[in-house]
Amino acid sequence: MSNKEQNRLGRGLGALLGEKSEVDSLRKPVGYVNKEIAGAKPRQDTSDVLRIPVNMVEPNPWQPRSTFDKTALEELAASIRSLGLIQPISVRKLSEGHYQIISGERRFNACQMAGMTMIPAYVRDATDQGMLEMAIVENIQRENLDPIELAMSYQRLIDECSLTQEQMALRMGKKRASITNTIRLLKLPAKVQHDLKVGLLSVGHAKVILGVDDPASQEMLCDMVVKDGLSVRDLEREVRKLLSSGRRSAGVRREQELPEDYTRVLSHIGKYFANDISLKRSSSGRGTMTVRFESDEEVSNFLKALEQAGL
């Protein structure tokens, strides 16, 4: 999306939102105040989030990224000061009072830049990967996790346990598309993740917002929901209204420009397939729909659903 296009969209959303400060005043930083500080107990649950002094944490010497964009790091630090750390880092315990980062070094650096002395983290032993996997899976099944915690748990199974999405789907008894869609929530800006985490935003809202590619536009759409209490359908209508008024451009994916019936078709079929479904329609109503699948199982599950519905 060009800067000109972003500016047009920003003005359109800004007119609907009013003063941004009204929305930001509703947000409070995410905290992990009810968790034990690392080292307080001899045994720790590796599925839990603990608060660790930053001076006990060291970088991972095998970190593949040797440099981090300074401007982006400063922006993340500013977000952390305002909203707290949405996604805890993961560390392994090397010895008593000594931890090493497994994933989240960029977040760790930003927390230091933000002046944090304690950092939320998942703690795991240097070995025993199988027990870690069981602990994470058990935590997913046992706890009433918010959508971001669930997405982070899935991502940990990928990063720390080397599981594929297909393997996770089998272990969790869920469709692979469900796993994929949940992990996609981690692509949202920190502000949107915050509002989803604390319940100001629903997963349905987040899915509509994920249809917008530009992070600034995603944040402004999120502000609309928080400020005006929009339902998912209200949000979809506002996006279409912006389209028709000419204040919207290439940031919204093609399927959101379709009539509502077409959007519902894409939504229903998309439950059974992990890949994107594309639908092209001319002004006369003629068009094509393309379904991309990754396995015979996806097609089989879709067929079963049709047969059960008597179609």
Side-chain angles (χ1 to χ4, degrees):
M1 183 187 292
S2 69
N3 290 335
K4 185 177 180 181
E5 290 168 335
Q6 289 182 28
N7 289 337
R8 285 208 310 270
L9 176 57
R11 286 196 297 271
L13 289 170
L16 291 169
L17 277 172
E19 288 297 324
K20 183 179 177 182
S21 59
E22 296 177 15
V23 182
D24 287 342
S25 66
L26 299 174
R27 296 188 172 100
K28 304 299 179 185
V30 169
Y32 297 90
V33 296
N34 296 321
K35 306 298 183 182
E36 295 291 336
I37 296 175
K41 291 185 177 180
R43 294 179 63 85
Q44 295 161 354
D45 184 349
T46 57
S47 67
D48 204 1
V49 179
L50 305 177
R51 293 165 59 242
I52 305 176
V54 293
N55 59 10
M56 292 186 180
V57 181
E58 68 175 39
N60 188 330
W62 297 282
Q63 161 65 248
R65 293 176 61 185
S66 57
T67 59
F68 297 91
D69 182 83
K70 184 178 179 181
T71 301
L73 205 60
E74 289 173 347
E75 290 175 351
L76 179 58
S79 172
I80 288 170
R81 290 188 196 98
S82 174
L83 304 173
L85 183 63
I86 309 298
Q87 300 180 24
I89 67 170
S90 291
V91 299
R92 63 175 181 166
K93 186 174 182 179
L94 300 179
S95 61
E96 193 62 42
H98 191 200
Y99 301 87
Q100 188 179 78
I101 296 173
I102 296 173
S103 62
E105 187 160 332
R106 179 173 173 270
R107 279 167 278 156
F108 176 73
N109 291 339
C111 285
Q112 288 185 303
M113 190 178 292
M116 292 177 62
T117 58
M118 305 288 291
I119 186 167
Y122 297 105
V123 181
R124 61 165 290 187
D125 294 331
T127 58
D128 231 348
Q129 182 170 312
M131 289 188 66
L132 172 67
E133 179 186 328
M134 287 188 290
I136 295 174
V137 172
E138 180 185 359
N139 192 53
I140 292 172
Q141 294 172 338
R142 182 186 66 211
E143 301 291 342
N144 184 24
L145 303 180
D146 66 58
I148 296 301
E149 287 174 329
L150 183 59
M152 280 296 299
S153 295
Y154 288 160
Q155 192 63 52
R156 289 187 72 203
L157 288 171
I158 292 174
D159 294 340
E160 300 176 43
C161 301
S162 301
L163 293 185
T164 65
Q165 291 188 18
E166 194 70 40
Q167 290 170 329
M168 281 194 287
L170 291 173
R171 281 165 170 74
M172 304 308 304
K174 295 182 179 292
K175 293 181 175 64
R176 179 178 172 174
S178 174
I179 302 289
T180 301
N181 289 333
T182 299
I183 293 175
R184 285 180 67 220
L185 298 175
L186 300 179
K187 296 181 179 180
L188 291 165
K191 179 192 289 186
V192 185
Q193 288 190 37
H194 170 276
D195 292 354
L196 188 57
K197 185 177 182 66
V198 300
L200 291 173
L201 203 68
S202 74
V203 174
H205 290 111
K207 288 180 179 178
V208 176
I209 293 172
L210 275 167
V212 178
D213 294 328
D214 174 50
S217 302
Q218 290 176 331
E219 291 183 354
M220 286 187 286
L221 287 167
C222 175
D223 286 347
M224 289 180 65
V225 175
V226 175
K227 180 175 181 289
D228 299 327
L230 300 183
S231 68
V232 174
R233 283 186 175 270
D234 290 337
L235 182 60
E236 290 172 342
R237 277 194 291 269
E238 291 299 336
V239 171
R240 288 195 295 271
K241 191 185 300 181
L242 289 171
L243 281 169
S244 63
S245 65
R247 289 176 290 189
R248 181 66 176 91
S249 56
V252 171
R253 293 178 183 164
R254 181 66 186 168
E255 57 263 30
Q256 284 194 308
E257 299 177 17
L258 297 167
E260 186 173 341
D261 286 349
Y262 289 78
T263 304
R264 291 173 63 189
V265 168
L266 291 173
S267 175
H268 285 304
I269 297 178
K271 297 176 183 177
Y272 302 95
F273 298 96
N275 283 321
D276 288 339
I277 299 171
S278 62
L279 197 157
K280 296 181 180 179
R281 172 186 175 275
S282 68
S283 57
S284 65
R286 299 180 64 181
T288 61
M289 181 168 64
T290 303
V291 178
R292 299 174 182 84
F293 56 90
E294 290 195 356
S295 66
D296 293 339
E297 183 184 4
E298 286 186 349
V299 178
S300 177
N301 289 338
F302 183 54
L303 176 60
K304 288 177 183 176
L306 290 177
E307 291 173 342
Q308 289 173 0
L311 301 175

